[in-house]
Amino acid sequence: MNAVGVQGLVDWQAVWITLKLAGLTTLILMALGTAIAWGLAQSRHWSKRPLEAIISLPLVLPPTVLGFYLLLLLGPKGPIGEVTQALGLGVLPFTFPGLVVASVIYSLPFAVQPIQNAFETLGARPLEVAATLRASPWDRFMTVALPLSRSGLITAAVLVFAHTIGEFGIVLMIGGAIAGETKVLSVAIYDHVEAIEYTQANILSAGMLIFSFTVLLALQIIRKPAKVIA
């Protein structure tokens, strides 16, 4: 198949929007998720378990339920929607920024849980040793906790990026299928199937299948490094 044929079969706008959404979501959650994970790992307060349950809700809630409540919150009559309108930002549903907000909320547990597990596995001993060397709390976090939790950080980044790539329900609820604005790969595949355009759907689906396998393989390598045989 020539380049012109491939160009006609692949929805490159959807590919670009999906990659941009996944990249932005990953960057935001690596900062936000690390801060939340550190706070939870260090906390002994009674509210820790309820907060962990709230963060984990997207793992068990149907995406349409989460998307519905986000529509209510972000819409013109919702509390957040009223604030964004008062600030002159308009409403977020059916816009790319709205997709980012929804993706950050939906992928939050995929960032927080691996990083929190890495922090908790680290234990208090390395931080206590750094404290005896007069390292400040910020120095202990930056030079001890983060480097020793690298595998958890990498796992979180990969999971968030891959999960955002594969989102469907919540992006359809919040973003719709506006070509060049909110139409991501998963929605493009759905539209092709509805239009009985199986060739285009097959190309996009095969690409996502290969991507998903690569992500899972990478995670296995990260989590179980090969043993070196002398």
Side-chain angles (χ1 to χ4, degrees):
M1 183 178 297
N2 57 36
V4 176
V6 173
Q7 179 71 30
L9 291 174
V10 178
D11 191 340
W12 292 109
Q13 279 189 330
V15 172
W16 165 242
I17 291 170
T18 304
L19 291 175
K20 184 170 67 168
L21 177 64
L24 283 172
T25 301
T26 303
L27 287 175
I28 293 170
L29 279 180
M30 288 310 293
L32 179 62
T34 300
I36 294 173
W38 179 251
L40 290 173
Q42 300 299 305
S43 175
R44 298 295 179 268
H45 196 266
W46 65 266
S47 61
K48 175 179 177 178
R49 297 308 177 194
L51 286 173
E52 288 176 332
I54 292 171
I55 291 169
S56 300
L57 274 176
L59 296 175
V60 295
L61 271 181
T64 49
V65 172
L66 186 58
F68 171 70
Y69 283 113
L70 283 177
L71 277 176
L72 294 182
L73 288 172
L74 303 176
K77 295 184 179 180
I80 298 177
E82 290 179 349
V83 171
T84 56
Q85 289 179 98
L87 294 174
L89 302 175
V91 290
L92 293 177
F94 308 109
T95 66
F96 183 78
L99 278 185
V100 174
V101 171
S103 295
V104 166
I105 294 172
Y106 191 47
S107 294
L108 184 61
F110 292 90
V112 172
Q113 290 185 359
I115 301 173
Q116 182 183 347
N117 289 338
F119 285 151
E120 291 177 343
T121 301
L122 175 64
R125 181 62 180 169
L127 300 174
E128 291 171 352
V129 171
T132 62
L133 299 174
R134 299 184 179 180
S136 67
W138 178 253
D139 287 336
R140 295 198 295 270
F141 175 72
M142 294 298 295
T143 62
V144 178
L146 286 183
L148 292 179
S149 304
R150 182 175 58 182
S151 62
L153 293 166
I154 295 173
T155 299
V158 173
L159 283 176
V160 168
F161 190 87
H163 186 249
T164 306
I165 292 285
E167 286 175 3
F168 175 72
I170 196 164
V171 294
L172 186 60
M173 290 283 287
I174 297 297
I178 305 172
E181 181 67 25
T182 63
K183 188 175 182 180
V184 295
L185 269 174
S186 57
V187 176
I189 293 171
Y190 178 79
D191 286 349
H192 285 312
V193 172
E194 271 203 323
I196 320 181
E197 297 169 347
Y198 292 152
T199 301
Q200 293 91 326
N202 186 39
I203 291 174
L204 295 178
S205 298
M208 293 190 73
L209 179 62
I210 294 170
F211 172 78
S212 300
F213 173 78
T214 304
V215 166
L216 292 174
L217 180 61
L219 284 177
Q220 291 298 320
I221 294 172
I222 292 169
R223 291 174 177 173
K224 298 178 181 179
K227 296 182 179 178
V228 178
I229 301 176

